[in-house]
Amino acid sequence: MSVGESGAGRMVVTVRGELDLATADRLWTELEPLLLPRAVVVLDGAGITFMDSSGLRVLLQAGKRAAADGAAFRLVAPQPAVRRVLELAGTGGHLETWDSVPAALGS
């Protein structure tokens, strides 16, 4: 997991590997302080190979916190297995997904 700043309150968090019970709390610890008013936090999910309900909880929690605090939380390029979990959970109206980091940062 890595965090990089893209200027003007825009942060990119890159996650690789599994987002599950063992890693979800660590991700939330990284995300929570970034979700400030007017911030744009982009989670680059291209490297997430597996996600369970613990990972889903963190993504939804980040989206909810961002909306409540006037920030934006955007998930980029989830892999097919991750996209399937998102679809089965019905997250369409609760989580923004984007095709690329530049697109997510540009809006």
Side-chain angles (χ1 to χ4, degrees), residues 6-44:
S6 292
R10 297 175 184 275
M11 305 297 288
V12 177
V13 179
T14 303
V15 178
R16 290 184 181 83
E18 297 181 354
L19 181 52
D20 57 12
L21 182 62
T23 59
D25 287 339
R26 189 172 129 218
L27 176 59
W28 179 245
T29 300
E30 294 289 335
L31 287 175
E32 185 179 25
L34 303 177
L35 297 168
L36 302 170
R38 295 182 303 282
V40 175
V41 178
V42 174
L43 181 84
D44 183 354

Side-chain angles (χ1 to χ4, degrees), residues 71-88:
F73 177 71
R74 299 170 178 164
L75 174 62
V76 172
Q79 294 296 312
V82 173
R83 190 174 299 273
R84 181 74 174 141
V85 171
L86 297 173
E87 289 169 2
L88 289 172

